[in-house]
């Protein structure tokens, strides 16, 4: 099994930057493709600040930080990803956008056995695979935020994915990135979000109905159930936009009300109250 040494990342938001950082810290050459010069500056700054934080906390040395940054480069557009052996799509959780990216990557990435992966948390992998002529090499690699810290990767192959592709992706995640891998069948939400989203939506409904405040709900789960983060603070961390998108995807597939985003969450999305990324969600971060 050929080792993967050249990785591409499409998008450098929170999850794209996190995956890029994990890779460069593991000795992998990473090229990040972004949409324009402003996104390039934001993406580079995001990774640089995270690595600086890792140095402050004693997780890596300054020399390791410098070596990681030397393995990281950026480009505007997708064409420079032609020589990559694995490309991870990490654009927002919007199916038409992801389909467009996969269709483009199929034409650009020269190695026909290169792995095309998605960080999606809810969209069935087969839909993305069908946007390409190499469905056997498309997988889901869902990391969790913050990716440099949390040890889990959710690996999903579709009905069309070669088992050898899944094996190679799993080997990369465990042997190179030093992550733990769990496998899921190709259904919306996979394992973690199929369990997590109903819990988050239930907490939002409690706030919406006036049953309890966000802070009391979160305190109940952190102090009473030993959860590291309360559900409303977790919605803010993940992003209201992402939670709504995942909930809608799950509801579309299963038609079960427990997955449906409550009106309060939809109104927050429409108001731009997205959580930490916007400065305000269930809590104020400004």
């Amino acid at each position: 099994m050929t080792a993967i040494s050249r990785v591409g990342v499409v998008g450098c938001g929170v999850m794209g930057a996190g995956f890029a950082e994990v890779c460069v810290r593991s000795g992998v050459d990473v090229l990040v493709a972004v949409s324009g010069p402003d996104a390039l500056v934001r993406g580079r700054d995001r990774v640089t600040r995270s690595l600086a934080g890792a140095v402050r906390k004693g997780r890596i040395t300054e020399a390791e930080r410098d070596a990681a940054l030397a393995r990281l480069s950026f480009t505007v557009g997708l064409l420079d990803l032609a020589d990559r052996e694995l490309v991870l799509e990490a654009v927002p959780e919007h199916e038409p956008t992801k389909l467009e990216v996969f269709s483009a990557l199929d034409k650009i990435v020269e190695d026909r056995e290169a792995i095309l992966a998605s960080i999606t948390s809810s969209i069935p992998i087969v839909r993305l695979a069908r946007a390409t002529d190499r469905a056997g090499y498309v997988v889901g690699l869902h990391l969790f935020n913050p990716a440099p810290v949390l040890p889990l990767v959710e690996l999903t192959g579709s009905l069309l994915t070669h088992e050898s592709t899944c094996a190679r992706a799993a080997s990369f995640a465990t042997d190179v990135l030093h992550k733990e891998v769990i496998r899921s069948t190709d259904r919306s939400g996979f394992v973690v979000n199929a369990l997590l989203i109903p819990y988050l939506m239930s907490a939002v409904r409690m706030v919406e109905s006036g049953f309890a405040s966000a802070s009391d709900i979160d305190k109940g789960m952190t102090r009473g159930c030993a959860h590291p983060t309360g559900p409303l603070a977790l919605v803010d961390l993940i992003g209201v936009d992402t939670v709504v998108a995942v909930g809608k995807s799950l509801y579309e597939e299963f038609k079960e009300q427990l997955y449906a985003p409550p009106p309060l969450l939809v109104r927050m999305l429409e108001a731009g109250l997205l959580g930490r990324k916007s400065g305000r969600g269930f809590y104020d971060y400004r």
Side-chain angles (χ1 to χ4, degrees):
M1 188 180 296
T2 305
I4 293 169
S5 60
R6 296 190 306 278
V7 167
V9 183
V10 181
C12 204
V14 172
M15 294 309 298
F19 180 74
E21 179 183 340
V22 170
C23 288
V24 294
R25 283 173 59 172
S26 300
V28 178
D29 175 76
V30 176
L31 177 60
V32 181
V34 294
S35 58
D38 291 343
L40 191 156
V41 172
R42 289 193 302 269
R44 189 186 296 278
D45 181 62
R46 185 174 276 121
V47 178
T48 301
R49 282 188 287 107
S50 181
L51 287 169
V55 171
R56 285 196 306 272
K57 294 171 184 175
R59 293 176 180 153
I60 60 173
T61 66
E62 291 186 357
E64 289 170 330
R65 174 202 60 196
D66 295 343
L69 286 172
R71 289 187 283 266
L72 177 66
S73 55
F74 287 80
T75 186
V76 175
L78 302 178
L79 293 177
D80 290 332
L81 299 177
D83 70 339
R84 300 291 102 176
E85 297 161 323
L86 182 151
V87 179
L88 180 81
E89 166 274 308
V91 301
E93 194 74 356
H94 180 246
E95 187 171 329
T97 302
K98 289 182 183 289
L99 291 172
E100 184 178 341
V101 169
F102 271 86
S103 178
L105 289 174
D106 183 43
K107 298 176 179 66
I108 291 168
V109 178
E110 294 172 352
D111 182 354
R112 299 305 293 177
E113 295 185 356
I115 297 173
L116 303 184
S118 175
I119 208 163
T120 181
S121 51
S122 63
I123 299 169
I125 301 304
V126 73
R127 295 184 192 170
L128 305 178
R130 291 282 290 168
T132 76
D133 289 327
R134 55 174 95 186
Y137 297 94
V138 176
V139 299
L141 280 180
H142 180 214
L143 283 77
F144 296 85
N145 186 27
V149 177
L150 295 184
L152 189 68
V153 174
E154 214 170 25
L155 172 62
T156 305
S158 78
L159 292 172
L160 302 175
T161 305
H162 302 316
E163 180 54 37
S164 60
T165 303
C166 289
R168 192 172 179 220
S171 176
F172 177 73
T174 56
D175 299 341
V176 178
L177 303 185
H178 309 294
K179 298 287 189 182
E180 296 178 34
V181 173
I182 61 173
R183 296 282 295 267
S184 171
T185 57
D186 189 20
R187 45 169 274 169
S188 183
F190 315 122
V191 174
V192 173
N193 277 302
L195 294 170
L196 177 63
I197 291 298
Y199 163 65
L200 299 182
M201 298 306 187
S202 179
V204 174
R205 292 187 185 99
M206 278 190 167
V207 174
E208 185 176 57
S209 68
F211 188 89
S213 68
S215 60
D216 280 351
I217 292 167
D218 281 354
K219 192 177 295 184
M221 297 310 295
T222 56
R223 300 296 190 185
C225 295
H227 287 203
T229 306
L232 286 317
L234 185 54
V235 170
D236 279 356
L237 177 62
I238 296 169
V240 169
D241 51 344
T242 299
V243 173
V244 168
V246 175
K248 286 182 175 180
S249 180
L250 282 160
Y251 182 74
E252 178 186 341
E253 179 137 320
F254 301 110
K255 298 298 188 289
E256 294 184 15
Q257 194 61 34
L258 75 168
Y259 296 122
L264 171 61
L265 205 61
V266 176
R267 293 294 90 76
M268 290 174 67
L269 172 62
E270 293 170 343
L273 305 178
L274 306 182
R276 287 182 177 272
K277 68 177 73 176
S278 69
R280 182 180 163 199
F282 287 98
Y283 300 95
D284 196 326
Y285 303 94
R286 294 168 295 182

